[in-house]
Amino acid sequence: MFSFAAYSYPKSESYKEILLSSIAAGLLTYLFLIVFQPFGTENFRHQYKYLLLFPYSVIFGSVFFAANLSIIHFRNWNIGSELLKVAGILFSASVLSYFYNSLFISHVTLSFGNYLYMFLYCLALGIPISTIYILSRYIYLKKTHEKTANEISRQLADHDNPIVATFNKILNISANNMDLQIHEENFICAQSMENYCSIYFLENGQVRKLVVRISLLNLLEQVQTDSIKKCHRSYIVNLNQVKNLKGNAQGYRLFLSEIDFEIPVSRSFISLIIPKLRSSKI
């Protein structure tokens, strides 16, 4: 049970995805209420019944949005963290729904007992739906990324043509009174370590590692080309050096023949990196 909760889980990493998923969550809540009319809703008679039910979807969607927005910068997110987030969403939504129901619909006296009923209703609906959502999203992303990674890996193995074959650019890197010139094809990758970057490149056929006091953003401005891209908050990679690709629910990992560690691709960079790799060796 605890080992399962420790598995990495792909949280939303873009504001657009959070907004769209929040709108979808609110609309699904509203659809559920008007179709199934649970917990006595079918006995509720009012001229504007469906209009009065709509704020529940606004409440749920808003809480969903706020919860996902608050964790966007968290690292090492896992299934256990996602379950705690869902519990927080259900609790917050139950509180707001209770006040809305008591003050504008049922007009009953506020009491802990009445709130407890609302909370139990939210749990009864939210726990199974949330569990299905978490597992299905995890499985879907895992299968999708694995399939894409296998396709691109076969493509990379069958062709050796680089992404950019028109000319070989000279990369000029300046930092702390140091000037370094590297041929584009010899640049392998760079890894950020707080205020420093480890730059990996080929020199006389051998891999060389150089630690430079420079931010990853500053380095990217100096080395970015059609084939050299940022793929993670801590990594810049030369896509011409990618020899293999693995996928999981979190995203993708790049394998380069010249280094012995894998490079992650953040979900926010998938739309940039994966199409580039897919079209590079056709």
Side-chain angles (χ1 to χ4, degrees):
M1 174 66 179
F2 292 105
S3 60
F4 172 75
Y7 288 158
S8 295
Y9 186 82
K11 66 180 178 66
S12 299
E13 294 184 345
S14 71
Y15 297 108
K16 180 180 179 180
E17 181 181 353
I18 291 175
L19 178 60
L20 293 177
S21 60
S22 300
I23 293 174
L27 292 177
L28 286 174
T29 300
Y30 182 64
L31 184 63
F32 182 88
L33 288 174
I34 64 176
V35 172
F36 297 100
Q37 300 191 39
F39 314 130
T41 305
E42 72 278 4
N43 298 321
F44 176 64
R45 298 289 182 266
H46 194 282
Q47 181 181 0
Y48 303 107
K49 174 180 178 177
Y50 296 117
L51 184 61
L52 290 173
L53 291 177
F54 185 73
Y56 287 113
S57 67
V58 176
I59 289 172
F60 190 87
S62 299
V63 172
F64 190 92
F65 178 82
N68 282 281
L69 195 63
S70 66
I71 66 165
I72 193 170
H73 296 300
F74 278 57
R75 299 183 180 182
N76 302 320
W77 199 252
N78 55 39
I79 291 179
S81 303
E82 184 70 11
L83 291 174
L84 288 176
K85 185 199 75 176
V86 169
I89 290 175
L90 294 178
F91 172 74
S92 301
S94 68
V95 172
L96 295 175
S97 296
Y98 169 68
F99 279 107
Y100 171 70
N101 179 273
S102 300
L103 298 176
F104 298 101
I105 297 182
S106 60
H107 302 287
V108 298
T109 303
L110 297 176
S111 69
F112 178 75
N114 288 335
Y115 164 71
L116 187 59
Y117 281 115
M118 176 64 75
F119 179 66
L120 292 176
Y121 289 156
C122 289
L123 286 183
L125 288 175
I127 289 178
I129 294 176
S130 299
T131 301
I132 293 172
Y133 163 75
I134 292 173
L135 292 177
S136 60
R137 183 168 182 263
Y138 183 90
I139 293 172
Y140 170 76
L141 289 175
K142 183 174 183 293
K143 289 184 176 180
T144 300
H145 292 166
E146 286 179 346
K147 180 181 178 181
T148 300
N150 290 335
E151 292 175 351
I152 294 178
S153 293
R154 288 194 297 268
Q155 195 172 303
L156 292 173
D158 292 339
H159 300 82
D160 295 321
N161 296 322
I163 295 176
V164 181
T166 55
F167 61 91
N168 184 27
K169 181 180 179 181
I170 300 295
L171 307 177
N172 295 295
I173 302 173
S174 298
N176 277 0
N177 299 322
M178 182 215 71
D179 293 315
L180 177 66
Q181 291 187 331
I182 306 174
H183 284 275
E184 180 182 355
E185 65 178 9
N186 290 332
F187 182 90
I188 300 175
C189 67
Q191 180 182 12
S192 173
M193 302 176 295
E194 296 184 354
N195 296 324
Y196 294 83
C197 283
S198 294
I199 303 174
Y200 295 82
F201 59 97
L202 292 172
E203 186 175 71
N204 298 323
Q206 300 294 321
V207 176
R208 183 181 172 190
K209 174 183 176 181
L210 184 63
V211 179
V212 181
R213 185 177 178 85
I214 187 175
S215 69
L216 194 71
L217 180 59
N218 192 357
L219 178 61
L220 180 65
E221 292 175 349
Q222 300 183 53
V223 303
Q224 182 167 238
T225 66
D226 286 340
S227 63
I228 299 176
K229 301 293 183 182
K230 183 179 180 182
C231 63
H232 185 272
R233 62 175 176 269
S234 300
Y235 290 94
I236 297 172
V237 64
N238 186 345
L239 298 178
N240 283 333
Q241 297 284 351
V242 177
K243 303 301 180 184
N244 196 12
L245 183 69
K246 298 293 183 182
N248 55 36
Q250 283 293 101
Y252 299 91
R253 293 187 175 274
L254 307 176
F255 294 82
L256 286 64
S257 59
E258 303 294 346
I259 59 175
D260 58 0
F261 58 87
E262 56 191 46
I263 298 178
V265 178
S266 296
R267 293 186 65 238
S268 57
F269 289 99
I270 287 178
S271 60
L272 170 67
I273 301 299
I274 298 304
K276 199 78 174 177
L277 286 171
R278 189 188 293 275
S279 62
S280 65
K281 313 272 179 157
I282 298 177

